[in-house]
Amino acid sequence: MLSQKVEQALNKQVNAELFSAYMYLSMSAYFESQSFKGMANWMRIQAQEELTHAMKLFDFINDRNGRVLLGPIEGPKTHWDSPLQAFEDALRHEIHVTSLIYELMNLSQAEKDHAAHNFLEWFVNEQVEEEAAARQVVDKLKLAGDHGAALLMIDAELGQRTAQPAQ
Ligand code: FEO
């Protein structure tokens, strides 16, 4: 059984993950509009991953006999000045999500909810990968600068990303 505090916090995280999906989809739409098809692909797959994160939380709340309550999802930003700006936003967002997961870990510990604590460890590890993946692209885009050929090479590379089977 979930405590009310943990249940509320997990519901908040469902919303944060759904917002993440919405934000990445908005970035995908931006890249489509700029004909960076590879970056659009990377962002679209990222949006799908965020949905799986939301569903993991959704299922966990239900498995623990909690109640999922969906609230409104904030509207995402719709325009960026450059690919670098969009990926920097993505990295900043992932760092923020990591801090939300850490807060959830602290709360589950304070509430002595070992099941939630154990469940959230998956997210702690996932966030290491999420930050690293975004940072890697930011670093490459910084190196590329305004060099068109380099940007197209990065775009082609990001077009190779394929969806991972849900874990
Ligand atoms: Fe679900 Fe990108 O964190």
Side-chain angles (χ1 to χ4, degrees), residues 17 20 24 46 50 53 94 97 127 130:
E17 301 290 347
S20 301
Y24 285 120
Q46 189 59 36
E50 298 300 349
H53 297 170
E94 288 305 332
V97 172
Q127 281 311 118
E130 295 275 271

Side-chain angles (χ1 to χ4, degrees), residues 1-74:
M1 190 79 184
L2 289 170
S3 73
Q4 208 183 359
K5 274 188 192 169
V6 173
E7 185 183 66
Q8 274 176 1
L10 290 171
N11 267 299
K12 232 174 110 184
Q13 193 62 28
V14 171
N15 188 276
E17 301 290 347
L18 289 174
F19 171 76
S20 301
Y22 215 31
M23 184 195 80
Y24 285 120
L25 206 52
S26 186
M27 288 177 175
S28 182
Y30 160 71
F31 284 126
E32 286 282 353
S33 77
Q34 303 293 305
S35 294
F36 283 123
K37 293 279 185 188
M39 297 186 203
N41 170 66
W42 195 96
M43 288 296 180
R44 188 182 175 122
I45 289 171
Q46 189 59 36
Q48 286 166 1
E49 277 203 11
E50 298 300 349
L51 275 180
T52 68
H53 297 170
M55 293 315 296
K56 256 183 197 291
L57 290 151
F58 185 101
D59 290 340
F60 181 74
I61 295 169
N62 285 324
D63 286 348
R64 298 286 309 285
N65 208 23
R67 173 77 165 92
V68 174
L69 293 170
L70 299 177
I73 303 167
E74 193 189 326

